[in-house]
Amino acid sequence: MARIVMKFGGTSMAGIERIRHVASLVKREVEAGNELAVVVSAMAGETDRLVQLCREAASLYDPREYDVVVASGEQVTSGLLAITLQGMGLNARSYMGWQLPILTSGHTAGLIEGIDAAVLDRVFSEGGIAVIPGFQGVTEAGDVSTLGRGGSDTSAVALAAAMKADRCDIYTDVDGVYTTDPRIVPRARKLPVITYEEMLELASVGAKVLQTRSVGLAMRENMPLRVLSSFDDRPGTMVVADEALEEYNMERQLITGIAYDKNEAMVTLTGLPDKPGTVAGIFGPLAEASINVDMIVQSVPQPGSKSDLTFTVPAASLPQTRAVLEQVREKIGFDNFVTDTNVVKVSAVGVGMRSNAGVAAQMFEALAQRNINILAITTSEIKVSVLIAEEYTELAVRVLHSTYGLDQEAEA
Amino acid sequence: MARIVMKFGGTSMAGIERIRHVASLVKREVEAGNELAVVVSAMAGETDRLVQLCREAASLYDPREYDVVVASGEQVTSGLLAITLQGMGLNARSYMGWQLPILTSGHTAGLIEGIDAAVLDRVFSEGGIAVIPGFQGVTEAGDVSTLGRGGSDTSAVALAAAMKADRCDIYTDVDGVYTTDPRIVPRARKLPVITYEEMLELASVGAKVLQTRSVGLAMRENMPLRVLSSFDDRPGTMVVADEALEEYNMERQLITGIAYDKNEAMVTLTGLPDKPGTVAGIFGPLAEASINVDMIVQSVPQPGSKSDLTFTVPAASLPQTRAVLEQVREKIGFDNFVTDTNVVKVSAVGVGMRSNAGVAAQMFEALAQRNINILAITTSEIKVSVLIAEEYTELAVRVLHSTYGLDQEAEA
């Protein structure tokens, strides 16, 4: 017997037929003797519809009331799943975020501060199944709150930690985590196991299987995640701690996956004076405005001359970045503010990199052979990323996937 | 300054444009210096959609989970109205049924057992507007509950009583209560004032402007209601106690209105034995099955012979009525179970009837002159109803409207 959280995304909950299928997956786990909490998203498209209604109601909507409106999507699906499970003869009940309660730090993108698992312990002791709307909670003031888009994954992981679950199963519309995007590389392989850190790097660079926050939380709580499809029966991908890899008899790969992210924008400031404090005068105000600067390249100036500075920000932050820099323009003194959104960040990720030099060199070499120009570079302990022109996205991903030996063997 | 509950129905809340208009009506009352709680229905069609989802999920759905699902419609509109009001610079917040709380006796068609108005008093003392989802509450166990279809009117009246409001304004898609259905009688007049009892009789016989339960509650609480349209600025109809009529300078009319109800079915049992207990043996089991028997006609038998019994039930209860009577058929002993759904109940309603005999005679005379055959009759202190063939509905309503002098003067 295991204690498991099963989480189903919006595509899995889109309509009664699909909810019925989800119920059959839940039933299978019940019959295996497991204790279950089921976390559900709103039907696909519903949250977008509700957000749109809020925007139409007022351009600057109140977060408290926004949460009341958008939390309703998960309320509906959790009630419907409970009804469907009961219709199959199972003992299921829904519990809203305010009923458990799931306490959050605030509205709209609140953090989960605590979950009272007492209700769940009682439900399990009575042989019941708890159905919990994802994405929602309650503030200390007793108002409905939400966790920000994609928050249902985080709900599931936090709930799993609170109820000391053995595992958190994330059912989605893909059947696991792949070495790269299979639409670009048909020979991409599904990974049976991946570490939290690798998953975090892959998620943050564009492989959007799991919400980044939920993976970080799972890592802190050391909660094993399983990513699998609700639409087929294939095994999926386990996301575990580095130290747990051996349990899964996995040889540590040098590189686990190749990710890409087109939502970056490159900013170049030209004609910067070569004097102390210039760089701090630029990145200080950007940090204060919560603009996430990623890659930074500074040309080395000749003594006494001017230099250029290039960095990347999320494309969505570009207007704000421009506004912040225009405010400090006179103080800093630069000639031009040049932007380029036709760029892509391609990354190789793998915990094996730690004990193996030469990964970055291998990447630069492979890209150079295809005449792909590298605009910027950034590295972490388990990741090497390069910024290149967007038109080379597919070529670069395919070349790197092959370079690091990730291509699936051709079928015999 | 007055303390007012404003209630808006589903048609008034159907989409952001209409919600914006509702907000403008609320704003006008704020500017008049009034303290306001606003009760809202779900967008027109939304509750039907949610009920349908529950039905598809399981044919026998759990009332607790059904309530979780269907209560979401009002949650959405109350949040959206609060956002819209805030966008207009007003201090508005939504409070769910479980937040106030509005305590109900149970699920699906729960009765309101109590409303804590402390939150509202605080809101008003801070110059705020409370937006409350109609139709929903919370059970003593702390679960979301609903009041049954049309329950938002009842929410509004109960809330008005709890907060000691001066008046409860019901905004709907008609501009008041008419002497009869204007689609049948173009010269029907809008009534400036009507008593609770008259309204109850008119509602229960088919003039569906207000939910019957809400009128009964308003009568018990002596809460003045105002029925008016959210789509135009005409004055509407006040619903008040009999004793309050004078305040409105109203001459007491003999007859206030003519109503009709096509949802009746006529049942005739033939060949009943003329022995004690026969009638009790029929209506006892029907009452136990909660089947609402209205009109009853028994033919007077010759001594020792058999008789017929005719009565009406709501058409929707016909299958259940048949099932109940088949069970007691042998014990009672009757020849045939004959039904007729092509009937209509036409009623004349008016508190003036109490002090004036001859109203019924006038009705029978008028119908007889048109050769309309009366199948059954029932009367109360302020109502005379006849059952006739459905094909005479329009003719009978027009004749009676005219007979009692209700026709509007032709425009000069």
Side-chain angles (χ1 to χ4, degrees):
Chain A
M1 192 197 76
R3 191 173 263 207
I4 303 172
V5 169
M6 303 173 80
K7 185 262 167 179
F8 294 93
T11 320
S12 307
M13 298 298 290
I16 296 295
E17 271 320 303
R18 292 194 177 175
I19 291 176
R20 223 185 290 286
H21 177 64
V22 162
S24 73
L25 297 177
V26 173
K27 190 175 188 194
R28 193 165 64 183
E29 293 288 1
V30 172
E31 285 167 352
N34 295 318
E35 290 181 338
L36 299 172
V38 186
V39 174
V40 296
S41 295
M43 292 191 194
E46 179 65 1
T47 306
D48 283 342
R49 186 182 75 87
L50 294 166
V51 169
Q52 186 55 31
L53 283 171
C54 290
R55 286 195 183 137
E56 284 172 27
S59 50
L60 278 174
Y61 44 78
D62 180 44
R64 179 186 183 274
E65 301 301 335
Y66 167 91
D67 283 351
V68 167
V69 174
V70 299
S72 68
E74 281 74 11
Q75 177 168 334
V76 168
T77 47
S78 53
L80 290 174
L81 179 59
I83 290 175
T84 308
L85 288 168
Q86 289 172 8
M88 293 180 173
L90 298 173
N91 172 12
R93 290 180 70 168
S94 69
Y95 297 89
M96 301 299 104
W98 54 269
Q99 282 183 299
L100 279 181
I102 297 176
L103 203 65
T104 71
S105 61
H107 285 291
T108 313
L111 299 172
I112 294 179
E113 297 202 320
I115 297 180
D116 188 344
V119 171
L120 298 178
D121 286 334
R122 206 192 62 225
V123 170
F124 297 147
S125 73
E126 292 166 358
I129 303 163
V131 182
I132 318 278
F135 178 60
Q136 65 167 241
V138 65
T139 64
E140 201 148 2
D143 294 322
V144 172
S145 56
T146 66
L147 304 178
R149 297 305 296 270
S152 290
D153 287 347
T154 305
S155 299
V157 174
L159 199 69
M163 66 187 242
K164 302 193 195 313
D166 297 294
R167 196 175 75 221
C168 180
D169 289 349
I170 310 279
Y171 288 81
T172 175
D173 50 1
V174 297
D175 67 346
V177 182
Y178 278 73
T179 48
T180 195
D181 186 340
R183 288 170 303 181
I184 291 182
V185 183
R187 293 177 71 183
R189 281 183 297 116
K190 184 165 65 183
L191 295 160
V193 185
I194 187 174
T195 68
Y196 297 122
E197 287 167 290
E198 288 168 334
M199 190 68 220
L200 275 174
E201 292 290 5
L202 286 174
S204 67
V205 291
K208 47 184 184 302
V209 179
L210 288 174
Q211 202 208 13
T212 307
R213 250 166 86 186
S214 69
V215 180
L217 184 60
M219 183 161 80
R220 279 199 302 285
E221 300 282 353
N222 198 14
M223 173 59 59
L225 302 179
R226 189 163 62 134
V227 179
L228 66 176
S229 168
S230 61
F231 299 106
D232 66 46
D233 262 348
R234 282 174 285 181
T237 299
M238 288 296 307
V239 189
V240 299
D242 202 356
E243 312 82 58
L245 277 183
E246 284 170 27
E247 290 174 34
Y248 293 90
N249 292 319
M250 287 302 297
E251 219 174 304
R252 193 153 298 174
Q253 300 282 316
L254 180 65
I255 296 297
T256 307
I258 309 295
Y260 64 96
D261 183 1
K262 295 183 175 179
N263 297 315
E264 294 279 309
M266 185 168 75
V267 176
T268 300
L269 302 179
T270 65
L272 282 167
D274 180 29
K275 63 179 182 192
T278 297
V279 170
I282 291 164
F283 294 119
L286 290 175
E288 272 165 41
S290 298
I291 294 169
N292 210 352
V293 174
D294 184 12
M295 301 165 137
I296 302 174
V297 181
Q298 192 171 18
S299 68
V300 181
Q302 298 302 316
S305 76
K306 293 189 165 188
S307 71
D308 295 348
L309 178 72
T310 296
F311 57 88
T312 62
V313 295
S317 303
L318 206 47
Q320 208 193 345
T321 302
R322 183 188 295 272
V324 167
L325 292 179
E326 285 301 336
Q327 280 178 357
V328 296
R329 184 174 198 137
E330 249 177 82
K331 197 174 133 207
I332 303 288
F334 55 85
D335 294 341
N336 287 304
F337 178 91
V338 184
T339 62
D340 185 355
T341 54
N342 291 321
V343 291
V344 62
K345 182 166 71 170
V346 177
S347 309
V349 173
V351 285
M353 221 183 272
R354 280 185 184 135
S355 52
N356 206 310
V359 166
Q362 226 177 327
M363 180 185 267
F364 306 152
E365 170 73 22
L367 296 176
Q369 277 182 9
R370 268 74 179 183
N371 287 319
I372 300 172
N373 190 28
I374 296 172
L375 306 171
I377 299 167
T378 184
T379 62
S380 79
E381 220 186 342
I382 66 164
K383 185 185 74 170
V384 182
S385 304
V386 292
L387 193 72
I388 60 175
E390 190 176 358
E391 57 187 337
Y392 293 115
T393 308
E394 290 77 9
L395 178 61
V397 169
R398 282 182 201 129
V399 164
L400 295 178
H401 198 263
S402 176
T403 296
Y404 293 115
L406 297 173
D407 288 354
Q408 195 160 29
E409 303 286 315
E411 304 267 332
Chain B
M1 192 197 76
R3 191 174 263 207
I4 303 173
V5 170
M6 303 174 80
K7 186 260 166 180
F8 295 92
T11 320
S12 308
M13 298 298 289
I16 296 295
E17 270 321 302
R18 291 193 178 174
I19 291 176
R20 224 185 289 284
H21 177 64
V22 162
S24 74
L25 297 176
V26 173
K27 189 174 187 191
R28 193 165 63 185
E29 292 289 1
V30 172
E31 285 166 352
N34 296 318
E35 291 180 337
L36 297 173
V38 185
V39 175
V40 296
S41 295
M43 292 192 192
E46 179 66 0
T47 306
D48 284 341
R49 186 182 76 86
L50 294 167
V51 169
Q52 184 57 31
L53 283 172
C54 291
R55 287 194 182 136
E56 285 172 27
S59 49
L60 278 174
Y61 45 76
D62 180 45
R64 179 184 183 276
E65 302 301 334
Y66 167 93
D67 283 351
V68 167
V69 174
V70 299
S72 68
E74 280 75 11
Q75 177 168 334
V76 168
T77 47
S78 53
L80 289 175
L81 179 58
I83 289 174
T84 309
L85 289 167
Q86 289 173 7
M88 292 179 172
L90 298 173
N91 173 11
R93 291 181 70 170
S94 69
Y95 298 90
M96 300 300 104
W98 55 268
Q99 283 182 299
L100 279 181
I102 297 175
L103 203 65
T104 71
S105 61
H107 284 290
T108 313
L111 300 172
I112 293 178
E113 296 204 320
I115 297 180
D116 187 346
V119 171
L120 297 179
D121 285 335
R122 206 193 61 223
V123 171
F124 296 148
S125 73
E126 293 166 356
I129 303 162
V131 182
I132 318 279
F135 177 59
Q136 65 168 242
V138 64
T139 64
E140 200 149 1
D143 295 321
V144 172
S145 56
T146 66
L147 305 177
R149 297 304 297 271
S152 290
D153 287 349
T154 305
S155 299
V157 175
L159 199 70
M163 65 187 241
K164 302 191 194 316
D166 298 292
R167 196 175 76 223
C168 180
D169 288 351
I170 310 278
Y171 288 81
T172 175
D173 50 1
V174 298
D175 67 346
V177 182
Y178 279 74
T179 48
T180 195
D181 185 343
R183 288 169 305 182
I184 292 183
V185 183
R187 292 176 71 183
R189 280 184 296 114
K190 184 164 65 184
L191 295 159
V193 185
I194 187 174
T195 68
Y196 297 122
E197 288 166 290
E198 289 167 333
M199 190 68 220
L200 273 175
E201 293 289 5
L202 286 174
S204 67
V205 290
K208 44 184 187 301
V209 179
L210 288 175
Q211 202 208 13
T212 308
R213 251 166 84 186
S214 70
V215 181
L217 183 61
M219 182 162 77
R220 278 200 302 285
E221 300 283 352
N222 198 14
M223 174 59 59
L225 302 180
R226 189 163 62 132
V227 178
L228 67 174
S229 167
S230 60
F231 300 106
D232 67 44
D233 262 349
R234 281 175 285 181
T237 299
M238 288 295 307
V239 189
V240 299
D242 202 359
E243 311 82 59
L245 276 183
E246 285 170 26
E247 292 174 31
Y248 294 90
N249 293 318
M250 287 303 298
E251 219 173 305
R252 194 153 299 176
Q253 299 284 316
L254 180 63
I255 296 295
T256 307
I258 309 295
Y260 65 95
D261 183 3
K262 295 184 175 181
N263 297 315
E264 294 279 310
M266 185 169 73
V267 176
T268 300
L269 301 179
T270 64
L272 282 166
D274 180 31
K275 62 179 186 196
T278 296
V279 170
I282 291 165
F283 294 120
L286 289 175
E288 272 166 38
S290 299
I291 295 168
N292 210 352
V293 174
D294 184 13
M295 302 166 138
I296 302 174
V297 182
Q298 192 171 19
S299 67
V300 181
Q302 298 302 315
S305 77
K306 294 188 163 187
S307 71
D308 295 347
L309 178 72
T310 296
F311 58 88
T312 62
V313 295
S317 303
L318 206 47
Q320 207 193 347
T321 302
R322 183 187 294 270
V324 167
L325 292 178
E326 286 302 335
Q327 279 178 359
V328 298
R329 184 174 199 136
E330 250 177 81
K331 198 174 134 206
I332 303 289
F334 55 84
D335 294 340
N336 287 305
F337 178 91
V338 185
T339 63
D340 186 356
T341 53
N342 292 321
V343 292
V344 63
K345 182 166 71 170
V346 178
S347 308
V349 173
V351 287
M353 222 182 273
R354 281 187 183 132
S355 52
N356 206 310
V359 166
Q362 225 175 327
M363 180 186 269
F364 305 152
E365 170 74 20
L367 296 177
Q369 278 181 8
R370 268 73 178 186
N371 287 319
I372 299 172
N373 190 28
I374 295 172
L375 306 171
I377 300 167
T378 184
T379 62
S380 79
E381 218 185 343
I382 66 164
K383 184 186 72 171
V384 181
S385 304
V386 291
L387 193 73
I388 60 174
E390 191 176 357
E391 58 187 338
Y392 293 115
T393 308
E394 290 77 9
L395 178 60
V397 169
R398 284 183 200 127
V399 163
L400 295 178
H401 198 263
S402 178
T403 297
Y404 294 115
L406 296 174
D407 288 353
Q408 195 160 27
E409 304 286 316
E411 304 269 332

